[in-house]
Amino acid sequence: NAGVTQTPKFQVLKTGQSMTLQCAQDMNHNSMYWYRQDPGMGLRLIYYSASEGTTDKGEVPNGYNVSRLNKREFSLRLESAAPSQTSVYFCASSEYPGPNSPLHFGNGTRLTVT
Amino acid sequence: KQEVTQIPAALSVPEGENLVLNCSFTDSAIYNLQWFRQDPGKGLTSLLLIQSSQREQTSGRLNASLDKSSGRSTLYIAASQPGDSATYLCAVFTGTASKLTFGTGTRLQVTL
């Protein structure tokens, strides 16, 4: 049982390049999330999908787009990467949105933008 | 705006010691508080979840307490082991904003 799988694990981009981070979960969860983790800061929510077919902005959505491809998959796209987007990106899922459904995290994608 | 603070940022203790990690939050209107563990290069693993109506939760050698009125939680680890070395994060789910706010974590090292 893989849980939440993120690809790639590492990526280096030049400023202005684009890329898509992939996330898939096999727990039949309804809700999926994208967070970024930066040194000295707590995890911050970029976008989330409460259920298949819906997406909403989180705390730091600028410069990102998302697609909930189906119930299993939730991708994060950087259209024109900037050095400020250097970070570790985590995908998470939960059975339902809201406070009573625990989050399950992937192992992260470490992105460097030069 | 909810703010979550964890002090200290890093802690080193010898094996076998009991230890306490601290978490404080500014807005007491929370649904719950969670403690997570993060190993280097890995994602977060949920350890304990305390509902706002509860005072504490226990799992094995871990005990988490919650004092909502004072905006504080502690994670107590008994008889620490080198395998406990990791970063521990707390997060609160705030009712007014309907969102989860994370602290920056305490990096724990348990030495032999």
Side-chain angles (χ1 to χ4, degrees), chain A residues 14-28:
Chain A
K14 295 186 187 304
T15 298
Q17 288 185 320
S18 63
M19 78 160 296
T20 300
L21 281 65
Q22 307 285 355
C23 174
Q25 52 90 9
D26 62 3
M27 296 172 283
N28 201 35

Side-chain angles (χ1 to χ4, degrees), chain B residues 8-27:
Chain B
L11 180 65
S12 182
V13 300
E15 182 180 14
E17 274 206 5
N18 303 322
L19 61 100
V20 173
L21 306 180
N22 297 297
C23 172
S24 61
F25 47 94
T26 55
D27 183 354

Side-chain angles (χ1 to χ4, degrees), chain A residues 26-93:
Chain A
D26 62 3
M27 296 172 283
N28 201 35
H29 284 172
N30 291 288
S31 303
M32 299 185 74
Y33 312 81
W34 277 105
Y35 286 90
R36 61 178 288 173
Q37 185 177 38
D38 300 293
M41 305 186 73
L43 272 78
R44 292 180 292 169
L45 183 64
I46 305 170
Y47 270 94
Y48 66 100
S49 171
S51 61
E52 185 179 359
T54 69
T55 61
D56 286 287
K57 295 178 180 179
E59 187 180 354
V60 288
N62 291 345
Y64 306 95
N65 285 300
V66 291
S67 295
R68 184 74 183 266
L69 304 170
N70 48 56
K71 191 171 185 180
R72 289 187 64 248
E73 299 173 287
F74 188 40
S75 62
L76 178 72
R77 182 160 178 84
L78 287 71
E79 290 291 352
S80 179
S84 61
Q85 294 178 305
T86 293
S87 187
V88 181
Y89 291 85
F90 288 99
C91 177
S93 69

Side-chain angles (χ1 to χ4, degrees), chain B residues 49-70:
Chain B
L49 185 152
I50 312 177
Q51 299 291 356
S52 62
S53 58
Q54 296 176 315
R55 296 285 291 182
E56 63 180 284
Q57 279 284 352
T58 297
S59 176
R61 294 183 293 109
L62 305 180
N63 176 277
S65 68
L66 174 63
D67 184 341
K68 197 174 76 163
S69 61
S70 68

Side-chain angles (χ1 to χ4, degrees), chain A residues 35 37 40-44 59 90 98-100 102-108 110, chain B residues 1 31-32 34 36 38 41-44 46 49 51 89 93 99-100 102-104:
Chain A
Y35 286 90
Q37 185 177 38
M41 305 186 73
L43 272 78
R44 292 180 292 169
E59 187 180 354
F90 288 99
N100 294 319
L103 289 175
H104 298 259
F105 284 85
N107 285 333
R110 186 174 294 273
Chain B
K1 178 186 172 186
Y31 277 116
N32 59 43
Q34 300 180 56
F36 293 88
Q38 185 176 24
K42 301 291 187 182
L44 281 68
S46 181
L49 185 152
Q51 299 291 356
L89 297 96
F93 199 104
K99 62 171 286 190
L100 195 61
F102 286 84
T104 53

